[in-house]
Amino acid sequence: MKLPSFQQAVGFSVGDTLSLFILRALHHQSNYSRALYEQFNLEFPGRSVSYEYVARMANTLENDGFLLSQTEGRKKFFQLTKKGEARLQEYNTIYAYRFSEVSTVIDRFYYFLTKNGLPSQDDIEPLHEDFRPFISKLLSVKDVVRFMALRLSLNRDSFYMAEVQGQLNSLFGWSPSNGYLYNIAREMEETNLLVGFWPDERRTIRKLYKTDNSEPFYEIVAASLTERIIQVRKYLHYILELV
């Protein structure tokens, strides 16, 4: 399975990450490109970049008025300008709260799937509506729904999709729409991952239960979701360290 890069998921590119890093690194003291390059790759070994790219980005930031430079010997030292300070604050204002909220949801998934980290110590608050689209970019929502539905099928005689939504909201503070849930339920019935029936003529609640395919596929989707959560969590923590 090919995991999405962070920039594919949320539009925060390697260039954005490096720009933010350089501005933050120069916030308290001046430095030169080679030292910035070594510091970036030391702090973020999973996001290595070339020295040439770091030097080019520093020059770009200088040309845009965010940095000033002066040459000492053979080294070109950069320092932050007032415009650079404002740009750094802009990054912090735009991204810190957004990524913190989304990261909280991802951390809940991470603990639930791996039992690593710490469980939430607070009441589970729902994710802000403005940030909900980011979950669908970071995760396979289909895998999340299939994971929870199959998990319920293996632990109960029967269940219905509203319980899947309730579990997602109570455990993670997020769930997809009703329409999406029921589309996935129909697809799972069509592929024999679940079997459904109407318990009465009113046809208001469709009961679902497991098939012989439920448990093997549950293991597959749980592994896939766990791998994705681990990688996405790394992406978010990179950015949170910067902002």
Side-chain angles (χ1 to χ4, degrees):
M1 177 188 67
K2 185 178 180 180
L3 295 168
S5 67
F6 188 79
Q7 56 266 33
Q8 289 172 330
V10 296
F12 200 83
S13 68
V14 174
D16 284 325
T17 306
L18 183 57
S19 294
L20 176 54
F21 171 82
I22 291 173
L23 294 174
R24 188 199 67 172
L26 298 175
H27 182 60
H28 296 297
Q29 64 179 30
S30 63
N31 216 333
Y32 55 99
S33 296
R34 175 65 65 176
L36 292 169
Y37 157 75
E38 292 174 352
Q39 185 180 350
F40 183 86
N41 286 325
L42 179 64
E43 291 191 23
F44 306 110
R47 303 294 302 279
S48 61
V49 296
S50 68
Y51 165 70
E52 289 75 15
Y53 187 49
V54 174
R56 187 165 65 250
M57 182 60 69
N59 288 328
T60 298
L61 290 170
E62 181 182 17
N63 292 336
D64 290 340
F66 300 124
L67 303 179
L68 283 176
S69 69
Q70 65 180 51
T71 302
E72 299 180 14
R74 299 179 62 181
K75 296 176 181 176
K76 183 179 181 181
F77 280 80
F78 294 94
Q79 65 184 53
L80 217 55
T81 64
K82 289 186 180 296
K83 186 177 178 182
E85 293 276 0
R87 180 59 168 166
L88 179 60
Q89 184 58 45
E90 181 182 314
Y91 268 123
N92 291 344
T93 301
I94 291 172
Y95 293 109
Y97 181 58
R98 175 194 299 173
F99 290 137
S100 177
E101 290 291 298
V102 173
S103 183
T104 296
V105 175
I106 297 300
D107 284 346
R108 292 170 187 153
F109 273 106
Y110 178 74
Y111 178 77
F112 186 82
L113 290 163
T114 69
K115 294 300 180 286
N116 292 323
L118 296 173
S120 177
Q121 301 298 316
D122 304 316
D123 293 336
I124 303 297
E125 296 290 336
L127 181 65
H128 192 284
E129 285 294 324
D130 290 348
F131 305 148
R132 290 175 63 84
F134 287 93
I135 297 295
S136 62
K137 293 180 181 181
L138 291 168
L139 300 181
S140 166
V141 178
K142 178 184 285 190
D143 275 358
V144 172
V145 174
R146 293 191 296 189
F147 167 79
M148 189 57 67
L150 292 171
R151 184 173 180 273
L152 285 174
S153 77
L154 298 175
N155 289 283
R156 299 185 184 179
D157 292 334
S158 66
F159 70 99
Y160 50 96
M161 288 306 289
E163 292 178 291
V164 172
Q165 188 173 54
Q167 290 264 298
L168 291 171
N169 282 324
S170 64
L171 290 169
F172 312 116
W174 167 89
S175 72
S177 66
N178 283 335
Y180 189 84
L181 284 165
Y182 288 106
N183 285 338
I184 298 300
R186 282 193 293 272
E187 181 181 299
M188 293 178 76
E189 287 192 59
E190 290 170 0
T191 55
N192 199 36
L193 291 174
L194 295 172
V195 173
F197 67 96
W198 300 105
D200 56 49
E201 294 181 356
R202 291 178 297 172
R203 298 167 71 90
T204 55
I205 297 176
R206 187 167 179 81
K207 294 286 188 177
L208 299 161
Y209 60 94
K210 67 182 179 182
T211 70
D212 290 341
N213 296 328
S214 297
E215 187 166 2
F217 194 80
Y218 170 78
E219 298 297 332
I220 293 171
V221 79
S224 174
L225 182 60
T226 300
E227 182 181 2
R228 191 152 184 158
I229 287 288
I230 290 171
Q231 190 62 49
V232 164
R233 185 170 179 266
K234 288 180 181 178
Y235 293 151
L236 289 171
H237 282 226
Y238 284 151
I239 300 303
L240 286 173
E241 285 183 28
L242 288 177
V243 300

